[in-house]
Amino acid sequence: MDVKANGPNGQLPGRVPPPSNKMVTPLLTDLYQFTMAYAYWKAGKHDERAVFDLYFRKNPFGGEYTVFAGLDECIRFLANFKLTDDEISFLRQTMPSCEDEFFDFLRGLDCSEVELYAIAEGMVVFPKVPLIRIEGPLAVVQLLETPFLNLVNFASLVATNAARHRFVAGKSKLLMEFGLRRAQGPDGGLSASKYSYLGGFDATSNVAAGKLFGIPLRGTHSHAFVSSYMSLDEIVDKSLQSSDGSSSCEDFVGLVQTWLSKIQRSNSLRGVFGETNQSELAAFTSYALAFPNQFLALVDTYDVVRSGIPNFCAVALALNDLGYKAVGIRLDSGDLAYLSCEVRKFFRAIEKDFGVLDFGKTSISASNDLNEETLDALNKQGHEMDAFGIGTYLVTCYVQAALGCVFKLVEINNQPRIKLSEDVTKVSIPCKKRSYRLYGKEGLPLVDIMTGENEPPPKVGERILCRHPFNESKRAYVVPQKVDELMKCYWPGKSGKEREELPPLKDIRERCINQLEKMRPDHMRRLNPTPYKVSVSAKLYDFIHFLWLNEAPVGELQ
């Protein structure tokens, strides 16, 4: 079902497609959401106007930033929110004590009365600042809690994990997500592919993700392909047409063998290797015949330097004779830094000895359970890799299992509400708020500040007091050189407000990359990053603490 979103004057600007995953329905929630909805309905509170904030309390992976992701899927879910007869029948069986009229109420529920405000997907975000604010009838907004948390938590965690890997690898490296086989189920795999791309990866091996989300696909053969060959005699069709179609080589296998002999006699490479593995040579040759424009070989099935690389070079040079350019090689085991340097020397020797332009720059990629730490170690050791395929540690977010977003009521019927705790980090910031990013003289973000909804916004060049929400002594004056309001309306309901359009995934990815580049390096570093400051206005600070004292019970000593 494609549901239209209301725009100005009640017009419907466009349809919102359903969630990418068909499992994302109103039943993808915790039972207590429906029991609360019944209790609200029973008490006559279900239509009270409620405001909830979705935010997180701490940045993941020991870092000081997070990438916000999952908003697109939240809007899709909200726009298509409708319980089917079959779903209502199941709820009736699950909650047999509930009155029949309640299920009639559920049958008529949609999100036409809901408004959603959010920070743009792909933005760099920080603790306590609402990522999403949802306003609407209490019962229906309550039913959005678990699905929204499900759609934002993992998405933002993976996007942040991807951004951290990108930061360590560097801008120039090709990063490929190879994690489908290790991901937590089909949806875990698809979500990881989508949000790794959003977070700065260049491609995925996941074909379904390529189709669904338009992510570039990359991949080559496995070790099984290499070991499945025994000899060159298995190659029956040995012909290959030149890249421009002007001629044909009838014995490409013979051409490969000729080049291997030339490499063995090369002055620069004499003594580097002896006889190479012929089954490996057969596999590479066969793969090149199948994909002459995309020849990328896995070279570590037997021995990288003594067999894999000379065999690859022989096939690559044969392709070069016919106008093709080999893509490169992949290393999946061993001392990656050392091997990449040896491979680069081999490629440069080939270019020098045989005059093949740019052969020394042939791509070297690596895989084998890479993570942030191994990328950092490779950088310190010195390596010649151009690309990395990263799987398990990326898609499972091995270092941290969850982001920990929460969904808290901050206002009902225009009355601010606060959630208290002995743990001050769990105290919520009440009332409907606006949030801004303040920039300093160098054009970099200095601080995020939250204000009450009706407070005047911060102005460029105007001195403003920024206060820590809960720590009285932490405060600073800021004179912003630029001010960005963070939250925009992405679902207006029937309010008639203008609605922000959701850009395509590639544009969200570009926004993420640009945002990360604007952050101060000390906020981004892996070890001991500087915390980014999140604050509230002086007026909101006073109100938080007034409400805190008002709501906290007073003890009595005896």
Side-chain angles (χ1 to χ4, degrees), residues 524-541:
M524 304 291 292
R525 65 191 177 210
R526 288 188 67 243
L527 297 176
N528 301 316
T530 303
Y532 182 84
K533 292 178 175 60
V534 172
S535 66
V536 296
S537 66
K539 187 174 181 179
L540 182 55
Y541 175 89

PDB file of all heavy atoms in Angstrom, residues 524-541:
ATOM      1  N   MET A 524      37.104  13.041  15.953  1.00  0.00           N
ATOM      2  CA  MET A 524      37.007  11.864  15.098  1.00  0.00           C
ATOM      3  C   MET A 524      38.030  10.779  15.425  1.00  0.00           C
ATOM      4  O   MET A 524      37.834   9.622  15.056  1.00  0.00           O
ATOM      5  CB  MET A 524      37.202  12.275  13.631  1.00  0.00           C
ATOM      6  CG  MET A 524      36.247  13.338  13.135  1.00  0.00           C
ATOM      7  SD  MET A 524      34.573  12.710  13.012  1.00  0.00           S
ATOM      8  CE  MET A 524      34.778  11.556  11.665  1.00  0.00           C
ATOM      9  N   ARG A 525      39.116  11.131  16.076  1.00  0.00           N
ATOM     10  CA  ARG A 525      40.212  10.174  16.247  1.00  0.00           C
ATOM     11  C   ARG A 525      39.779   8.939  17.031  1.00  0.00           C
ATOM     12  O   ARG A 525      38.859   8.993  17.853  1.00  0.00           O
ATOM     13  CB  ARG A 525      41.404  10.855  16.902  1.00  0.00           C
ATOM     14  CG  ARG A 525      41.162  11.327  18.306  1.00  0.00           C
ATOM     15  CD  ARG A 525      42.293  12.230  18.795  1.00  0.00           C
ATOM     16  NE  ARG A 525      42.004  12.750  20.140  1.00  0.00           N
ATOM     17  CZ  ARG A 525      42.432  13.907  20.590  1.00  0.00           C
ATOM     18  NH1 ARG A 525      43.179  14.694  19.815  1.00  0.00           N
ATOM     19  NH2 ARG A 525      42.133  14.296  21.819  1.00  0.00           N
ATOM     20  N   ARG A 526      40.481   7.824  16.773  1.00  0.00           N
ATOM     21  CA  ARG A 526      40.122   6.540  17.388  1.00  0.00           C
ATOM     22  C   ARG A 526      40.406   6.523  18.884  1.00  0.00           C
ATOM     23  O   ARG A 526      39.612   6.006  19.657  1.00  0.00           O
ATOM     24  CB  ARG A 526      40.911   5.404  16.730  1.00  0.00           C
ATOM     25  CG  ARG A 526      40.472   5.063  15.320  1.00  0.00           C
ATOM     26  CD  ARG A 526      41.171   3.797  14.841  1.00  0.00           C
ATOM     27  NE  ARG A 526      40.743   2.630  15.597  1.00  0.00           N
ATOM     28  CZ  ARG A 526      41.531   1.895  16.365  1.00  0.00           C
ATOM     29  NH1 ARG A 526      42.816   2.200  16.489  1.00  0.00           N
ATOM     30  NH2 ARG A 526      41.059   0.841  17.002  1.00  0.00           N
ATOM     31  N   LEU A 527      41.538   7.048  19.304  1.00  0.00           N
ATOM     32  CA  LEU A 527      41.937   6.986  20.710  1.00  0.00           C
ATOM     33  C   LEU A 527      41.719   8.331  21.389  1.00  0.00           C
ATOM     34  O   LEU A 527      42.136   9.368  20.878  1.00  0.00           O
ATOM     35  CB  LEU A 527      43.408   6.572  20.827  1.00  0.00           C
ATOM     36  CG  LEU A 527      43.753   5.172  20.297  1.00  0.00           C
ATOM     37  CD1 LEU A 527      45.249   4.926  20.389  1.00  0.00           C
ATOM     38  CD2 LEU A 527      42.984   4.101  21.071  1.00  0.00           C
ATOM     39  N   ASN A 528      41.071   8.286  22.538  1.00  0.00           N
ATOM     40  CA  ASN A 528      40.824   9.476  23.352  1.00  0.00           C
ATOM     41  C   ASN A 528      40.282  10.670  22.560  1.00  0.00           C
ATOM     42  O   ASN A 528      40.832  11.759  22.601  1.00  0.00           O
ATOM     43  CB  ASN A 528      42.117   9.893  24.075  1.00  0.00           C
ATOM     44  CG  ASN A 528      42.663   8.809  24.972  1.00  0.00           C
ATOM     45  OD1 ASN A 528      41.907   8.172  25.703  1.00  0.00           O
ATOM     46  ND2 ASN A 528      43.965   8.576  24.903  1.00  0.00           N
ATOM     47  N   PRO A 529      39.183  10.461  21.836  1.00  0.00           N
ATOM     48  CA  PRO A 529      38.619  11.598  21.091  1.00  0.00           C
ATOM     49  C   PRO A 529      38.046  12.643  22.045  1.00  0.00           C
ATOM     50  O   PRO A 529      37.606  12.323  23.157  1.00  0.00           O
ATOM     51  CB  PRO A 529      37.508  10.943  20.269  1.00  0.00           C
ATOM     52  CG  PRO A 529      37.119   9.734  21.049  1.00  0.00           C
ATOM     53  CD  PRO A 529      38.382   9.246  21.694  1.00  0.00           C
ATOM     54  N   THR A 530      38.061  13.893  21.615  1.00  0.00           N
ATOM     55  CA  THR A 530      37.487  14.979  22.406  1.00  0.00           C
ATOM     56  C   THR A 530      35.968  14.906  22.350  1.00  0.00           C
ATOM     57  O   THR A 530      35.393  14.851  21.262  1.00  0.00           O
ATOM     58  CB  THR A 530      37.940  16.348  21.851  1.00  0.00           C
ATOM     59  OG1 THR A 530      39.364  16.400  21.835  1.00  0.00           O
ATOM     60  CG2 THR A 530      37.386  17.493  22.698  1.00  0.00           C
ATOM     61  N   PRO A 531      35.301  14.919  23.499  1.00  0.00           N
ATOM     62  CA  PRO A 531      33.833  14.898  23.467  1.00  0.00           C
ATOM     63  C   PRO A 531      33.278  16.155  22.798  1.00  0.00           C
ATOM     64  O   PRO A 531      33.757  17.264  23.044  1.00  0.00           O
ATOM     65  CB  PRO A 531      33.446  14.840  24.954  1.00  0.00           C
ATOM     66  CG  PRO A 531      34.650  14.312  25.655  1.00  0.00           C
ATOM     67  CD  PRO A 531      35.824  14.819  24.874  1.00  0.00           C
ATOM     68  N   TYR A 532      32.264  15.965  21.969  1.00  0.00           N
ATOM     69  CA  TYR A 532      31.569  17.090  21.354  1.00  0.00           C
ATOM     70  C   TYR A 532      30.556  17.621  22.361  1.00  0.00           C
ATOM     71  O   TYR A 532      29.896  16.852  23.069  1.00  0.00           O
ATOM     72  CB  TYR A 532      30.870  16.634  20.076  1.00  0.00           C
ATOM     73  CG  TYR A 532      30.155  17.731  19.322  1.00  0.00           C
ATOM     74  CD1 TYR A 532      30.847  18.545  18.439  1.00  0.00           C
ATOM     75  CD2 TYR A 532      28.798  17.950  19.518  1.00  0.00           C
ATOM     76  CE1 TYR A 532      30.191  19.552  17.743  1.00  0.00           C
ATOM     77  CE2 TYR A 532      28.136  18.959  18.826  1.00  0.00           C
ATOM     78  CZ  TYR A 532      28.839  19.758  17.934  1.00  0.00           C
ATOM     79  OH  TYR A 532      28.190  20.758  17.259  1.00  0.00           O
ATOM     80  N   LYS A 533      30.419  18.937  22.447  1.00  0.00           N
ATOM     81  CA  LYS A 533      29.567  19.541  23.467  1.00  0.00           C
ATOM     82  C   LYS A 533      28.102  19.597  23.019  1.00  0.00           C
ATOM     83  O   LYS A 533      27.799  20.064  21.919  1.00  0.00           O
ATOM     84  CB  LYS A 533      30.066  20.938  23.805  1.00  0.00           C
ATOM     85  CG  LYS A 533      31.419  20.940  24.518  1.00  0.00           C
ATOM     86  CD  LYS A 533      31.920  22.333  24.806  1.00  0.00           C
ATOM     87  CE  LYS A 533      33.213  22.279  25.627  1.00  0.00           C
ATOM     88  NZ  LYS A 533      34.284  21.555  24.938  1.00  0.00           N
ATOM     89  N   VAL A 534      27.233  19.101  23.882  1.00  0.00           N
ATOM     90  CA  VAL A 534      25.785  19.183  23.687  1.00  0.00           C
ATOM     91  C   VAL A 534      25.228  19.993  24.856  1.00  0.00           C
ATOM     92  O   VAL A 534      25.531  19.693  26.014  1.00  0.00           O
ATOM     93  CB  VAL A 534      25.143  17.786  23.646  1.00  0.00           C
ATOM     94  CG1 VAL A 534      23.625  17.892  23.641  1.00  0.00           C
ATOM     95  CG2 VAL A 534      25.624  17.028  22.408  1.00  0.00           C
ATOM     96  N   SER A 535      24.415  20.998  24.547  1.00  0.00           N
ATOM     97  CA  SER A 535      23.992  21.924  25.589  1.00  0.00           C
ATOM     98  C   SER A 535      22.514  22.260  25.469  1.00  0.00           C
ATOM     99  O   SER A 535      21.837  21.865  24.505  1.00  0.00           O
ATOM    100  CB  SER A 535      24.819  23.210  25.502  1.00  0.00           C
ATOM    101  OG  SER A 535      24.528  23.889  24.281  1.00  0.00           O
ATOM    102  N   VAL A 536      22.037  23.023  26.456  1.00  0.00           N
ATOM    103  CA  VAL A 536      20.688  23.585  26.411  1.00  0.00           C
ATOM    104  C   VAL A 536      20.805  25.084  26.671  1.00  0.00           C
ATOM    105  O   VAL A 536      21.806  25.575  27.225  1.00  0.00           O
ATOM    106  CB  VAL A 536      19.759  22.936  27.456  1.00  0.00           C
ATOM    107  CG1 VAL A 536      19.554  21.463  27.152  1.00  0.00           C
ATOM    108  CG2 VAL A 536      20.300  23.117  28.875  1.00  0.00           C
ATOM    109  N   SER A 537      19.780  25.807  26.288  1.00  0.00           N
ATOM    110  CA  SER A 537      19.759  27.241  26.565  1.00  0.00           C
ATOM    111  C   SER A 537      19.595  27.471  28.062  1.00  0.00           C
ATOM    112  O   SER A 537      19.160  26.575  28.807  1.00  0.00           O
ATOM    113  CB  SER A 537      18.614  27.903  25.807  1.00  0.00           C
ATOM    114  OG  SER A 537      17.364  27.436  26.306  1.00  0.00           O
ATOM    115  N   ALA A 538      19.905  28.671  28.517  1.00  0.00           N
ATOM    116  CA  ALA A 538      19.767  28.996  29.938  1.00  0.00           C
ATOM    117  C   ALA A 538      18.312  28.842  30.389  1.00  0.00           C
ATOM    118  O   ALA A 538      18.044  28.335  31.482  1.00  0.00           O
ATOM    119  CB  ALA A 538      20.264  30.423  30.189  1.00  0.00           C
ATOM    120  N   LYS A 539      17.398  29.231  29.537  1.00  0.00           N
ATOM    121  CA  LYS A 539      15.978  29.146  29.888  1.00  0.00           C
ATOM    122  C   LYS A 539      15.531  27.688  30.007  1.00  0.00           C
ATOM    123  O   LYS A 539      14.816  27.323  30.946  1.00  0.00           O
ATOM    124  CB  LYS A 539      15.151  29.874  28.835  1.00  0.00           C
ATOM    125  CG  LYS A 539      13.676  29.999  29.173  1.00  0.00           C
ATOM    126  CD  LYS A 539      12.945  30.863  28.152  1.00  0.00           C
ATOM    127  CE  LYS A 539      11.468  31.002  28.517  1.00  0.00           C
ATOM    128  NZ  LYS A 539      10.740  31.857  27.541  1.00  0.00           N
ATOM    129  N   LEU A 540      15.970  26.848  29.074  1.00  0.00           N
ATOM    130  CA  LEU A 540      15.599  25.429  29.134  1.00  0.00           C
ATOM    131  C   LEU A 540      16.272  24.750  30.327  1.00  0.00           C
ATOM    132  O   LEU A 540      15.670  23.896  30.994  1.00  0.00           O
ATOM    133  CB  LEU A 540      15.972  24.717  27.830  1.00  0.00           C
ATOM    134  CG  LEU A 540      15.602  23.232  27.739  1.00  0.00           C
ATOM    135  CD1 LEU A 540      14.115  23.007  28.011  1.00  0.00           C
ATOM    136  CD2 LEU A 540      15.975  22.663  26.368  1.00  0.00           C
ATOM    137  N   TYR A 541      17.512  25.137  30.628  1.00  0.00           N
ATOM    138  CA  TYR A 541      18.198  24.581  31.799  1.00  0.00           C
ATOM    139  C   TYR A 541      17.393  24.850  33.067  1.00  0.00           C
ATOM    140  O   TYR A 541      17.160  23.941  33.883  1.00  0.00           O
ATOM    141  CB  TYR A 541      19.601  25.195  31.923  1.00  0.00           C
ATOM    142  CG  TYR A 541      20.340  24.767  33.163  1.00  0.00           C
ATOM    143  CD1 TYR A 541      21.125  23.623  33.171  1.00  0.00           C
ATOM    144  CD2 TYR A 541      20.240  25.510  34.348  1.00  0.00           C
ATOM    145  CE1 TYR A 541      21.795  23.216  34.322  1.00  0.00           C
ATOM    146  CE2 TYR A 541      20.901  25.105  35.498  1.00  0.00           C
ATOM    147  CZ  TYR A 541      21.676  23.972  35.482  1.00  0.00           C
ATOM    148  OH  TYR A 541      22.322  23.573  36.623  1.00  0.00           O
TER     149      TYR A 541
END
